[in-house]
Amino acid sequence: MTGPRYTKLIESLPATVPFVGPEEQERRAGRPFAARLGANENGFGPSPRAIAAMAAAAGEVWKYGDSTSFELRAAIAEHHGVAVENVLVGEGIDGLLGYLCRLVIEPGDAVVTSDGAYPTFNYHVAGFGGVLHKVPYVADREDPQSLIATAAETQAKLVYIANPDNPMGTHHPREAIEAMIEAVPEGTLMVLDEAYVEFAPEGTEARIAADDPRVIRMRTFSKAHGMAGARVGYALAAPGLIAAFDKIRNHFGMCRISQEGALAALQDKTWQAYMRLLVAGARDRITTIAQENGLSALPSATNFVAIDSGQDGEFARAVLAELGARGIFVRMPFVAPQDRCIRVSVGPDAELDAFAAALPDALAAARAKLSR
Amino acid sequence: MTGPRYTKLIESLPATVPFVGPEEQERRAGRPFAARLGANENGFGPSPRAIAAMAAAAGEVWKYGDSTSFELRAAIAEHHGVAVENVLVGEGIDGLLGYLCRLVIEPGDAVVTSDGAYPTFNYHVAGFGGVLHKVPYVADREDPQSLIATAAETQAKLVYIANPDNPMGTHHPREAIEAMIEAVPEGTLMVLDEAYVEFAPEGTEARIAADDPRVIRMRTFSKAHGMAGARVGYALAAPGLIAAFDKIRNHFGMCRISQEGALAALQDKTWQAYMRLLVAGARDRITTIAQENGLSALPSATNFVAIDSGQDGEFARAVLAELGARGIFVRMPFVAPQDRCIRVSVGPDAELDAFAAALPDALAAARAKLSR
């Protein structure tokens, strides 16, 4: 008796699980975190109207969700001034990135991204046999020029950029993104991940014609709408590309409760405005906490702040470990020199209080450990 | 400016959307259905405790779900008397079938199923380039012998059987399934879809060793637990196969609210027993409605009943259309001679009342139309 015969590609993929979530870390530590500030979630939570809509939908969950997410797509289309045919709703940006990779990547195909950018995109590219070409950050920002140049050199199927960026929280003005789209090589699709754009300064969101075939935009209800656990993302693109997803997507894959919650969240403009104020306040507080500890924080266009440890990645990793030992869940960039930073997501005062209380000891312990 | 370069496989897939849900049908008709009895949903809904758990979880949905679904998997493992390592939780059986196909199917690989069995499985097989070999039903049941024989002939990567069966609602005793597992050819994985098994007579659920490498079982919270819209399915299989999904699955793909709801539903044994009584009562009522109209119904081991129209597929399709025109959403098998039937899902009395009221007129109208 043997097991199944996997594909050659599957046999070649690493067996290690790249994503260890906070619950798994809590189980390993044997206790819950005092502050959950590591996953770029939005601890202020969803609109009260969205919560009410989801609670009401719980009793109706015996019905499959609408396989076309029509009402939600119509609301999103109106919000962006595009047609319903320009909008695809899916199981978070992660789910949509997986479908997109499946649409275009055959083993050996080139894909371009930044070294240290969103790892889940890389995971999906590798999962379909794509070959990643990574360009370095420049001044803690993704570099449109080198991304485009490398896409041209490698005849890439996809070139990925997030604006604003994760993990650094930096951003480009929309003109830089618009110029990048104009320079996308023939045959390359640009993936513009705008998961955090609602938190960015006015003038960050690129102006893109709805039917532009050169780019697909990714947006989410996980960040600005505080609904990461609901798994609602959407793509904006030309109708032909949107329709192509229908060849392969899990048509009844959307949670009905999440569809209802996202619709209510999108309609609650008051909460969206309030949320931006809450997040801006929390960013300022994180920056102040950094300064009180003799550290500087990078300006953030997102719902998280990269705090510069003032030293290298080894030191930042030590700080991260010491914070974890003190019940504080935060994360950090993977690649030097960005890995000199620790990345702290926004949250309500109680969680930031816990972070503020733990940071001085964590820094002292990390310094003591590395000076030994 | 051109669009993306799709893979050759994607270019070869049909652009038509195979799945038209009830909401889409309602939009096309310009009015809601009076009775939603076509999607094998469970109109009695989830456990009140599951509803309460989901409503409570709505406020916590700012957190991503646990990427390992650990608590839910532990509860499922205990329920089935297996280890956590034997359990994978995913975005419905549909999502799990998609991942499974991706794990094993390369273009040209053979896969065996029954002609007229679950179309979403076929969709995923085709979506990865698999070649489907279909064997006929025998006496309205899937045929283990011919499935196995064809799997051996074609050296299939997968052989699929649902027990009980959709769309006919028939079932095999567990001994037939266990014998099938013993006969699975070397190098073939048997996919045992048990989406409906909780509704089946005692002695239907096969006894399978937890670590048997020849078979993967698929189960769901959509049917017996009345949570189709929550998108929670699970697989039971040998640890090596379960671990293989971690190479490709969307690790943070599960809705947190759904995870909480499924856990509460699994713990509510009282509701599960009550649900089986409700469903059995509704099956009897559908059978009675059929008899009152001079039709017979197939014995059902599921939450739906196949009513034999007494004529052929053309007539059954006419009945289906007439029912639809009267606001009754039901469906029917795709393939002769099973397509002589219409398939009616269980639901509360009000929906069955609407079906009972519409059926005589629908039959008369269909007979009149076809006699012209």
Side-chain angles (χ1 to χ4, degrees):
Chain A
M1 297 196 303
T2 59
R5 289 174 286 160
Y6 300 106
T7 69
K8 289 184 290 295
L9 176 58
I10 294 294
E11 294 282 9
S12 75
L13 294 175
T16 51
V17 175
F19 309 106
V20 179
E23 283 83 3
E24 182 65 20
Q25 292 188 37
E26 287 174 332
R27 278 188 296 274
R28 292 176 186 180
R31 60 169 192 184
F33 285 119
R36 182 170 166 131
L37 302 169
N40 288 354
E41 295 160 336
N42 180 342
F44 297 110
S47 149
R49 294 185 187 200
I51 295 175
M54 289 186 276
E60 298 294 309
V61 80
W62 62 271
K63 302 176 191 169
Y64 286 101
D66 175 11
S67 61
T68 70
S69 296
F70 184 84
E71 286 185 41
L72 178 56
R73 283 167 61 227
I76 291 167
E78 188 184 355
H79 177 76
H80 288 288
V82 301
V84 175
E85 291 72 24
N86 294 115
V87 183
L88 174 69
V89 164
E91 306 92 332
I93 290 179
D94 287 0
L96 293 170
L97 289 173
Y99 291 137
L100 178 63
C101 288
R102 185 171 160 198
L103 284 177
V104 302
I105 296 176
E106 288 175 290
D109 280 347
V111 173
V112 177
T113 186
S114 302
D115 194 12
Y118 193 45
T120 304
F121 176 70
N122 300 356
Y123 168 79
H124 287 307
V125 170
F128 289 98
V131 176
L132 282 158
H133 299 265
K134 298 179 182 178
V135 306
Y137 279 63
V138 172
D140 294 324
R141 298 199 303 179
E142 297 190 51
D143 179 5
Q145 281 76 18
S146 63
L147 287 166
I148 289 294
T150 306
E153 278 163 29
T154 61
Q155 300 185 43
K157 285 276 188 83
L158 300 173
V159 58
Y160 173 94
I161 188 170
N163 193 46
D165 171 68
N166 172 25
M168 302 309 286
T170 53
H171 72 288
H172 289 283
R174 63 185 178 198
E175 291 80 4
I177 301 298
E178 291 162 7
M180 189 176 168
I181 295 169
E182 291 303 322
V184 169
E186 194 79 17
T188 299
L189 179 68
M190 177 167 145
V191 183
L192 176 59
D193 185 340
E194 296 183 317
Y196 301 98
V197 77
E198 293 92 342
F199 301 118
E202 193 81 23
T204 303
E205 189 178 357
R207 293 158 296 194
I208 306 174
D211 295 348
D212 192 321
R214 299 169 295 183
V215 60
I216 183 168
R217 312 170 81 151
M218 298 288 181
R219 305 287 287 257
T220 183
F221 286 84
S222 297
K223 310 300 179 183
H225 295 286
M227 291 175 55
R231 312 283 59 220
V232 187
Y234 60 96
L236 302 172
L241 176 52
I242 294 297
F245 285 81
D246 277 346
K247 291 183 170 184
I248 56 161
R249 72 184 181 90
N250 188 2
H251 285 261
F252 289 90
M254 287 299 299
C255 176
R256 189 178 188 94
I257 297 169
S258 302
Q259 289 174 324
E260 296 289 339
L263 185 60
L266 193 64
Q267 290 166 341
D268 191 349
K269 308 288 184 201
T270 306
W271 181 261
Q272 291 164 37
Y274 180 53
M275 171 61 61
R276 281 191 287 271
L277 295 176
L278 290 171
V279 168
R283 286 193 308 224
D284 289 347
R285 173 110 200 266
I286 295 168
T287 302
T288 300
I289 293 168
Q291 291 167 345
E292 287 167 354
N293 286 273
L295 306 176
S296 65
L298 278 68
S300 168
T302 65
N303 64 326
F304 58 87
V305 177
I307 296 179
D308 190 329
S309 74
Q311 301 191 40
D312 63 3
E314 186 185 3
F315 178 69
R317 276 186 288 279
V319 174
L320 203 76
E322 295 294 338
L323 285 169
R326 288 164 177 78
I328 309 296
F329 171 53
V330 294
R331 283 203 173 121
M332 59 180 285
F334 298 108
V335 173
Q338 282 71 46
D339 68 352
R340 72 190 187 281
C341 296
I342 61 171
R343 195 195 68 180
V344 183
S345 305
V346 300
D349 276 336
E351 309 228 2
L352 296 187
D353 290 347
F355 172 65
L359 185 58
D361 286 353
L363 288 167
R367 285 176 184 133
K369 187 183 290 179
L370 294 187
S371 68
R372 277 205 298 269
Chain B
M1 299 197 299
T2 58
R5 289 174 284 159
Y6 300 107
T7 69
K8 289 184 290 292
L9 175 59
I10 293 294
E11 294 282 11
S12 76
L13 295 175
T16 52
V17 176
F19 309 106
V20 180
E23 283 83 1
E24 182 64 20
Q25 292 187 36
E26 286 174 333
R27 278 188 296 274
R28 291 178 186 178
R31 61 168 190 186
F33 285 118
R36 182 170 166 131
L37 301 169
N40 288 355
E41 296 160 335
N42 181 342
F44 297 109
S47 149
R49 294 184 188 202
I51 295 175
M54 289 185 277
E60 297 294 310
V61 81
W62 63 271
K63 301 174 190 170
Y64 286 101
D66 175 10
S67 61
T68 71
S69 296
F70 184 84
E71 287 184 39
L72 179 57
R73 283 167 61 226
I76 291 167
E78 189 185 354
H79 178 74
H80 288 287
V82 301
V84 176
E85 291 71 24
N86 294 116
V87 183
L88 175 69
V89 165
E91 305 91 333
I93 290 179
D94 287 0
L96 293 171
L97 289 173
Y99 291 137
L100 178 63
C101 287
R102 186 172 158 196
L103 284 178
V104 302
I105 297 176
E106 287 173 292
D109 281 345
V111 173
V112 176
T113 186
S114 302
D115 194 14
Y118 193 45
T120 304
F121 176 70
N122 300 355
Y123 168 78
H124 287 307
V125 170
F128 289 98
V131 176
L132 282 158
H133 299 266
K134 299 179 182 177
V135 306
Y137 279 63
V138 172
D140 294 325
R141 298 198 301 177
E142 298 189 51
D143 179 5
Q145 281 76 20
S146 64
L147 287 166
I148 290 292
T150 306
E153 278 164 29
T154 60
Q155 300 184 43
K157 286 276 188 83
L158 300 173
V159 58
Y160 173 94
I161 188 170
N163 193 48
D165 171 68
N166 172 28
M168 301 309 286
T170 53
H171 73 288
H172 288 283
R174 63 186 178 195
E175 290 81 5
I177 301 299
E178 291 161 7
M180 189 177 169
I181 295 169
E182 291 303 322
V184 169
E186 194 76 18
T188 299
L189 179 70
M190 177 166 144
V191 183
L192 175 58
D193 186 339
E194 297 182 317
Y196 300 99
V197 78
E198 293 91 343
F199 300 118
E202 193 81 22
T204 302
E205 190 179 355
R207 293 157 296 193
I208 306 174
D211 295 348
D212 193 319
R214 299 169 296 184
V215 60
I216 183 168
R217 312 170 82 150
M218 297 289 180
R219 305 287 286 255
T220 183
F221 286 84
S222 296
K223 311 300 179 183
H225 296 286
M227 292 174 54
R231 309 288 57 224
V232 187
Y234 61 97
L236 301 173
L241 176 51
I242 294 296
F245 285 81
D246 277 346
K247 291 183 171 185
I248 56 161
R249 71 184 182 89
N250 188 3
H251 285 262
F252 289 89
M254 287 299 299
C255 175
R256 189 178 189 94
I257 297 170
S258 302
Q259 289 174 324
E260 296 288 340
L263 185 60
L266 193 63
Q267 290 166 342
D268 191 349
K269 308 288 183 200
T270 307
W271 180 261
Q272 290 165 36
Y274 179 52
M275 171 61 61
R276 281 191 288 269
L277 295 176
L278 289 171
V279 168
R283 285 194 308 224
D284 289 346
R285 172 110 200 264
I286 295 169
T287 302
T288 301
I289 293 168
Q291 290 166 345
E292 287 168 354
N293 286 273
L295 306 176
S296 66
L298 278 68
S300 168
T302 64
N303 63 327
F304 58 88
V305 177
I307 296 178
D308 190 329
S309 74
Q311 300 190 41
D312 63 2
E314 186 185 4
F315 178 69
R317 275 185 288 280
V319 175
L320 202 77
E322 294 295 338
L323 284 169
R326 286 163 178 79
I328 309 296
F329 171 54
V330 293
R331 284 205 171 118
M332 59 180 286
F334 299 109
V335 173
Q338 283 70 47
D339 69 351
R340 72 190 187 280
C341 296
I342 60 170
R343 194 194 67 180
V344 184
S345 307
V346 299
D349 276 337
E351 309 227 3
L352 296 187
D353 290 346
F355 172 64
L359 184 58
D361 286 353
L363 286 167
R367 285 175 185 133
K369 189 183 287 177
L370 293 187
S371 68
R372 276 204 298 270

